[in-house]
Structure formats: C-alpha cells, structure tokens
Amino acid sequence: MRLSLRTASRIAWRETRSSLTKFLFVVFAVAIGVGALAGVRGFSESVRAMLNSESRTIMAADLSARQFAPPKQEQIAELDQLGARGVDRTLITETVSMAAATTPDATPALVSIKAVDPAKYPYYGTVKLSPEMPLSQALTPETVVAGEDVLIRLGVKVGEHVHLGSADFRMAAMVLSEPDRMSGSLNVGLRMMLSREGFERTGLMQLGSRAAERYLFKIQPNGPSMEDVRVAIMDALPEARVIDSKESNPLITRGLDQATTFLSLISLIALIVGAIGVGVAMYAHLQQKMDNIAVMKSLGGTSAEIIRIYVIQTLMLGLLGGIAGVLLGRAVEEVFPSLINKIFEIKATTGWHFDAAIQGISVGLLTTLLFTLPPLVAIRKIRPAIILRRGMADTKLPFRGRISALREAVVLGGIILVGLGGIAAWLAGSARVGGYFAGGLFFSLLALTGVAALLLRLLRIFLRRSPIRLPSLVRQGFANLYRQGNQAQSILVAMGLGVMFTLSVYLIQNSLVNEIIQTAPPGVPNVYLVGVTLEQTTPLKQLIASQEGVLTAPQLSPSVAARLVRINGEEVASRPMKGFSRRYLNTRSVTWESDRPDNIRVIDGTWWKRDATEPVVSVEEDAAKTLDIHPGSRIEMEVSGRTVQARVVALHRYEAARMAPSDFVFNEPALAGLPVVFYGGVRMKPSEAGALQRVIFNKYPTVTVVNVADVLQTVQQIIDQIALVIRFLSAFAIVAGAIILAASVAGTRFRRIREVVILKTLGGTRRHIARMFSIEFLTLGAVAGLMGGLLASAFSRVLLTRLLDAKFELDARAILVCVALTALLANAAGWFASVRILRQKPLEVLREE
C-alpha cells in the first residue's frame, strides 16, 4: 500500500497547522527575501514599461545624436538634406560654467548649462515651469530658467538677475520638470536652461572649447522610416552616438539592467539567509518528530514516503513565504522611488507584476527546498529502534561511517551550491555571473562557518580554563550555546552573512568618499580651472598669484581636440577594436609640453629636447598597448580639418593625477597654430577657495572654476542615495538572521521549557533565568556582529585595494557599533520567541512527563 500524494499533503498540512506559530518565523524569513527580490524586479519592470511607453517623451524626440565636437560644414549639409525629406532637427548644447547672483560679493556656483531653441524644444513632452508658462515665452536672449536648487544655492528668486559668462540674465521661471533630463549628458547637480541666443551672449563657447552637442530629430508624418533616418544620421555624424526611441534609451536601460541584476543578487542573499533559517527550523522540527517518524516506519512507512510528507510541508512553507513576500515586495516597490528621486525623477506607475511575482515565488521555493535537503535526507537514518534507545547516549560512528557522512555532506553542499548558482544565473541572465556568485557565496559561507566554529570553541575553552571565576548565571548562559540542537553555529553564519554584507557596503562607500574628500597630497591642485583661452593664461596666472591662500603656482596645460586617423599608414577605423578601446576612434583631447613634467616618467624611448622642431609625440603606456604603438611608430591625427603627423619617440606613465589630457603629449611645434583651450588648477587653502572663485568670476566670467568641495557635495549626494538603496536591501538579510534566531529559539522551545522547569524546581527565579537567557542571546548577537564586522573589513579591503585601487582604513568604531546593534537585535529576537517559556509552571510540565 503506497502513500498517495493527497494523503501525504493532508498529513503535511495537519503538522503545519499544529505548529503554525513556530513556522510563522520561517514564513517571515522567506517572505523577507522574496519581498526584496519581487520589489526590485517589479520596480525594474515598472521603469522599463515607462521607458517603452514614454520613450519619445524621455528623449524629447524620435532620434537623438550626441557627440563632443561641433559638426563640420559638410556634415551640416548632409543633415540639411534630411530636413528636405521631412526630418526636423534642433541642437542642444550642454556644458558647465560658473553662475552667481548680481549682488556684491555673491559666491558663484558651478552649474550645468543647457542651451536650447525654445521654438522647437522639446518635440515631445513639456517643460513644466513655475509660474506656469510656455518655454518659448520664458526663454529669451535675456532670460534663463533653472531648477529650485539653483535658486537656493545662488540666493536668488524668480524675477531677479544672475550673472553667467559675460552677460546678466533675468531668472524668468523655476523648472519643475523637463522631459529629457535622463537623456542628457549632465543630468545631475545644479541645472540651468537658456536659449541659444542667450548662450551666445555668455561667450562660453570659444574655439577649442568642448561641450556635449546633442541633436534631436523629429520625423514628420510623411517623412522616411526611422531606420532610414538613423542610417543617414550615422553616415553624416560618424563620431556621434545615435539613439532612436524604439530602443527606449539604451543608456538608461543598460544601467537599469545592471542595477536590477546587482540589487537582485543582494535580495537573493537575503533570501538565502532566510532559507538557512528554514533549514534550521526544519532540522529542529524533525528532531522533535523523531518519535513520530519512527512510529510511521514501524507501521510500514518507507523513508521515501516520509520524506515526501516533509518535502510537501517545506513547499507549503515556501509558498506561504513567497506569497507573503510578493505582498511585501509591493510595499518595497513603492519605497524605491523615494530612495532615488534625488538622482532622477521617477514617474513609473507601480503596480502588480505577474512575472516578477512568479519569479520571486519560484526562487523562494527553490531556495527553501535546497536548504532543507540536509534535514530531509537525514530522515533515512532514523530507525524505529530510536524510541527504545532514546535515553541512551549517541554512539560515535566508525571511520567508514564518518567518511560516508562526509561524502554525503559534500554532495549535498555541491547540489545546494550549483542550485544557487543556477538561480543567480537566471536572475542575472548570465552563467558567468551565476558562477561568480556561487563561488563568492561558497567562500563567504566557508569563512563564516570556520570563524563561527573557532569562536565557539575558543569560548568553550575559555569557560573551562579561565583563571577568572565567572558568576554561575554567566557560565550557564554561555553553556546554553552548546545545548543539544541549539544551532548556534547556523545562527551565527546567517546573521554574520547579513552583517558582513551590510557593513561592507558602508565601509566601501565611506572609504571611497573619504579618500576623495581628504586633503590631496602636497602640490596637487584642489581648485581647477576650465576653459581658459590662450590670451587669458598669463594675466590669469598673475591674478591667481596675487591672491591670499595660494599654496602653489597655478598650472595650466593646453588641450587640443584631435582624432586619431592612422598609425604607420594603417587606418585606425579598420582595426577590430571593441569595448573601452573604441574610445580611440572618437575625438580626444591632446596636449603639448616642451620640457618633461615632473609627474611624467618615461618608460620607453627618450623625451625630446626643448629646441626640437620635428613633430614628435609621447604616448601613454596603456594607450600604446591598446593601439600597438612603439617608439619609432608614426601617427596621423586630424585637428580642425588639418592633418598632424608625428613620430613616436617615447612611451610615458603619469605618476600623479592631472586634469590635462594624458594619452598623447606632443611637442609644441607639432600643434602650433591650432585652436587650443587651457585646463589647470591651483592649490589653495580651503578657506580661501570661495574668494578665489569670486575674483576669477568677476574678472574672467567665461572661465569655469571648479572647487572640489562643491563637486564632492553632488558626488556625496549621489553615493548616499545609491548606498541607501543597497543598505535598505542588505538590512533584509540582517532581519532574516534575527528571524532565524527567533525561529531557532522557538524550535528548541520544549528543551528550554524542561530546562526552565528544572531550574525553577531547584530554586531559580524568573529573574535569574531571564538573565541567563539574555546572556545567551547577547553573546550570539555580539559574536555574529564581530564575525560580520571582521569579515566585512577583510572583504572591503580586498575590493578597495585590488579592484578599486583605493586606500583602505580600518574603521574600528563601525565594527563596535555593529557588534552592539547586532547584540541588541539578537536579544530582542530571542526574547520575542522565549517570553512564553518563562511563564510555564513547573507542575504543568511535570504532570505531562
């Protein structure tokens, strides 16, 4: 007689219903991971749906083409031919500059400038202004509009005047929203918009100046197809990046896909922590049901049939957790826009996403089932005789038995690891990402398991050999960590994983930002100058040198916009370059030097003499490797319609960061007479940087002065928002770890009840027992926090020094705070599951024995 699936389901449901309070923790643990995952995927689907439905509005056109050099006359002629075929176009120029109020001693601020033709822009969507008016009415040659942050920063109101470049403008309105903000080159920070006529008044665009030039195209109803227009634009503007609205803006969607994958993997970690809790709870549950399982086997039940019952029970719990997680994910999806709206204004309509819900529930079921494999497989080892031998001590397995058990554990571990790698690959859409995730998780869990076992062993040795006689309650609390079935090691691994990941995000973020914010090494500029013309170089240096707080002489380096055409007579465009190396096909900035600067080290060849007249060049070593350039090679570059030929005489490496171009350094005769703009900087006392900005702005309004502190403020805001999203999801892993602790305590409830009864019978009071339990919970939390903190420091150090080339500094205060918070969280979770145990009367329990 076989056990039918229906009967197995009924038994599983009855057991689940009878232990629903205990399994409630398990359901919560799964729901947290599934909720984070479903929320991330659902929000991603909402944004992608918004991009697809509003793609023309987001782009403000049917197609766009962006490049960093003004088009040539022949290119404009080709674009004019498109206009004759029914394709309208308008040009948007985006750059940065200084702006300030017109009041005396007003401090300027760096703003992003967007020059448009208000008669055409935008083709789709609307620029919303306050007070409400059409953009064509607001923008005249004498007016500008700006975001609220600009008005606050400059201290001006609508109707007042601001100084930009060489001209004054009236602030006509405040920008509430613009349709193509996410498509712009400078889509964060302080933003100001003006007409093209007003932009010409500023004098910001000089010969050689660089700015992002973005063409918007609108196809008339009787015009050519979008694909034909795209091909024509690419032929006319070979250096431009052409995007059509059918692609729903690939720049945004690519970033969205990467962010979704990353956040999904973080959510999967939270789900894995929850699944570990399911495994812990199922193990404790099966330990309590050993008598039942033995009886079922005595009545003829096979191991496969009994395993079927508990597999169904596991799937029930996973399904309940998955459904609860989808509901939680809906709430998470609503939170995301508020977390990132300081970077982008997200107007995606959130709602129920069937695909994301099914994916979240499926991942929850698969992950839960994977981590319950070990306790389920252990059912095969339960023998009916266990009822009669329950009071006997466990016998040690022989050597072959231990080898067999180890082999089984390795196989099960391999199945779990491969399964998790497959789930990660499914979420990321990449087998490679799945492999990296599985490998990283394996080493993380291995390290956490090893550290947990070591710390628990050291604690046990300390109790046995400590010269200090600890109070009995403290010793009893520590000893509870070794209670049979306590699962202290699993709890430490689960909570430590959540702590490690969350603290790693915090440490990496702080290290990167602090390294930028910290004072630069002696001599390195902390105030940068952009857009200096040749005529301005000498008087500007004299002006800076006369100011207070100047620590070093100002440095100005020339920059010429050039495009690499040939190397040793071979067309560069014909080379099969992919990925990042394709940047050498576009227009790039090159510079000249007479004497070798101190921060350049020649690694091959010889630097030229100061009086050399032959056009020669030195190439940065990474560019030389990519382009296969060696001393003796000849290169040709196109600059403003002129071809520059030069012989490569050296390969160099920069020993310090600099603002000037670095890939190609010519001697001065090679670039003589070409349009040039200068970049540079000066090292100032931080307190005097604002005064220098005001002086340069008043004297040379077209020169952009970048105070590093101003830039870092924007960078800090962006990093804070990104880190907040990651921490928000990482916190789910810690909460799941706390739920695991509560579930584990609930699973050992019957053993704890007997312990409490014995202690009360021997004279222990409720207050004494409460202190003993608190010591146990606080120790678990503190050890988990210490493990997670130490491993997070090691993990952060590897990432910062090996991958991000940044400096790592141990943050002991963060680790101590982490230990304290995790201990408190563990104590709260443990007491949430134990409060009923202390209320048990000894007589009630003794009567049941």
Side-chain angles (χ1 to χ4, degrees), residues 459-460 463 472-484 486 755 772 775-776:
L459 182 61
R460 194 168 191 173
L463 287 177
S472 59
L473 288 178
V474 175
R475 295 180 63 85
Q476 185 66 34
F478 285 159
N480 278 354
L481 297 173
Y482 310 105
R483 182 194 294 106
Q484 185 178 2
N486 193 35
E755 180 182 347
M772 184 181 68
I775 291 170
E776 177 186 354

Side-chain angles (χ1 to χ4, degrees), residues 367-509:
T367 309
T368 301
L369 191 58
L370 284 172
F371 279 92
T372 51
L373 279 178
L376 291 175
V377 172
I379 291 176
R380 298 181 297 110
K381 301 177 182 179
I382 299 178
R383 300 287 182 263
I386 197 171
I387 299 176
L388 301 176
R389 298 173 56 190
R390 181 169 48 191
M392 300 177 63
D394 294 336
T395 58
K396 188 176 181 179
L397 291 175
F399 178 74
R400 290 186 176 179
R402 293 198 298 272
I403 293 296
S404 177
L406 180 62
R407 187 186 302 117
E408 181 181 280
V410 170
V411 171
L412 289 174
I415 293 173
I416 293 173
L417 202 62
V418 171
L420 293 177
I423 293 172
W426 179 31
L427 293 177
S430 168
R432 183 181 180 185
V433 173
Y436 279 126
F437 181 84
L441 187 65
F442 170 73
F443 286 110
S444 298
L445 290 175
L446 190 66
L448 282 166
T449 303
V451 173
L454 177 63
L455 288 176
L456 289 175
R457 185 172 181 83
L458 290 175
L459 182 61
R460 194 168 191 173
I461 293 174
F462 172 76
L463 287 177
R464 289 180 177 178
R465 303 181 181 179
S466 173
I468 304 173
R469 185 64 181 177
L470 298 175
S472 59
L473 288 178
V474 175
R475 295 180 63 85
Q476 185 66 34
F478 285 159
N480 278 354
L481 297 173
Y482 310 105
R483 182 194 294 106
Q484 185 178 2
N486 193 35
Q487 299 298 310
Q489 188 167 330
S490 300
I491 295 170
L492 289 176
V493 170
M495 294 193 70
L497 188 65
V499 171
M500 182 190 79
F501 194 80
T502 305
L503 187 59
S504 294
V505 172
Y506 173 81
L507 292 176
I508 291 172
Q509 175 213 356

Side-chain angles (χ1 to χ4, degrees), residues 11-322:
I11 297 174
W13 170 243
R14 287 175 180 173
E15 279 209 4
T16 304
R17 187 176 57 186
S18 63
S19 307
L20 193 58
T21 303
K22 176 177 63 180
F23 284 130
L24 197 60
F25 294 105
V26 175
V27 173
F28 283 163
V30 176
I32 281 178
V34 173
L37 181 63
V40 168
R41 312 294 285 193
F43 179 71
S44 176
E45 286 188 18
S46 295
V47 175
R48 186 169 283 103
M50 181 266 292
L51 293 175
N52 290 331
S53 63
E54 303 291 336
S55 56
R56 281 185 169 88
T57 302
I58 294 171
M59 193 178 291
D62 291 312
L63 300 97
S64 73
R66 179 189 288 112
Q67 62 183 23
F68 289 91
K72 303 174 183 177
Q73 290 299 324
E74 56 268 24
Q75 293 175 327
I76 295 177
E78 292 185 43
L79 295 177
D80 289 339
Q81 293 179 7
L82 274 177
R85 298 170 56 191
V87 180
D88 196 11
R89 78 173 187 273
T90 184
L91 178 63
I92 296 176
T93 302
E94 294 168 312
T95 186
V96 293
S97 181
M98 305 301 295
T102 55
T103 55
D105 298 328
T107 301
L110 184 68
V111 297
S112 300
I113 302 297
K114 182 175 181 180
V116 303
D117 179 0
K120 294 184 177 181
Y121 170 85
Y123 287 127
Y124 300 98
T126 305
V127 177
K128 295 182 180 180
L129 304 174
S130 176
E132 187 176 352
M133 68 179 75
L135 184 65
S136 57
Q137 178 183 337
L139 287 186
T140 68
E142 291 78 28
T143 61
V144 296
V145 295
E148 182 181 12
D149 47 2
V150 175
L151 276 65
I152 294 174
R153 184 65 178 274
L154 299 182
V156 299
K157 300 178 180 178
V158 173
E160 297 181 349
H161 287 75
V162 295
H163 192 69
L164 179 66
S166 303
D168 290 343
F169 295 86
R170 182 176 59 85
M171 187 68 66
M174 181 175 66
V175 178
L176 301 178
S177 66
E178 51 189 304
D180 61 334
R181 177 166 184 175
M182 290 193 294
S183 299
S185 300
L186 304 167
N187 46 29
V188 294
L190 307 178
R191 296 171 60 78
M192 184 178 290
M193 191 183 306
L194 69 166
S195 65
R196 299 210 63 81
E197 294 82 359
F199 187 61
E200 292 176 3
R201 286 183 59 221
T202 64
L204 292 174
M205 289 300 292
Q206 303 291 332
L207 191 62
S209 299
R210 284 174 62 82
E213 305 283 359
R214 181 159 55 100
Y215 273 111
L216 300 184
F217 298 88
K218 180 181 181 181
I219 304 174
Q220 300 299 334
N222 58 348
S225 67
M226 187 174 294
E227 186 59 32
D228 290 342
V229 176
R230 181 189 179 99
V231 173
I233 295 172
M234 294 176 67
D235 290 340
L237 304 173
E239 292 187 34
R241 184 180 185 90
V242 182
I243 302 171
D244 66 58
S245 56
K246 289 182 179 179
E247 297 176 294
S248 67
N249 202 321
L251 293 175
I252 302 174
T253 53
R254 189 179 301 115
L256 179 65
D257 290 340
Q258 292 172 347
T260 301
T261 298
F262 178 63
L263 296 177
S264 295
L265 294 180
I266 295 177
S267 305
L268 180 58
I269 289 177
L271 180 57
I272 288 171
V273 173
I276 292 174
V278 176
V280 170
M282 285 302 297
Y283 177 82
H285 178 62
L286 291 176
Q287 289 292 312
Q288 295 176 14
K289 296 295 182 180
M290 287 180 66
D291 292 354
N292 302 43
I293 294 172
V295 169
M296 283 191 283
K297 286 190 174 183
S298 298
L299 297 176
T302 64
S303 295
E305 291 172 334
I306 298 172
I307 289 175
R308 184 186 305 169
I309 294 173
Y310 289 101
V311 167
I312 293 173
Q313 187 178 47
T314 300
L315 293 177
M316 285 181 179
L317 295 173
L319 183 61
L320 287 174

Side-chain angles (χ1 to χ4, degrees), residues 262 266 498-512 719 722-728 730 792 795-796 799:
F262 178 63
I266 295 177
V499 171
M500 182 190 79
F501 194 80
T502 305
L503 187 59
S504 294
V505 172
Y506 173 81
L507 292 176
I508 291 172
Q509 175 213 356
N510 273 19
S511 295
L512 290 176
I719 293 178
I722 295 173
L724 182 60
V725 174
I726 297 173
R727 288 178 192 169
F728 174 72
S730 303
F795 181 64
S796 302
L799 285 181

Side-chain angles (χ1 to χ4, degrees), residues 711-733:
V711 176
L712 288 177
Q713 184 175 5
T714 301
V715 173
Q716 179 72 65
Q717 290 175 354
I718 297 172
I719 293 178
D720 284 347
Q721 292 304 307
I722 295 173
L724 182 60
V725 174
I726 297 173
R727 288 178 192 169
F728 174 72
L729 293 175
S730 303
F732 280 77

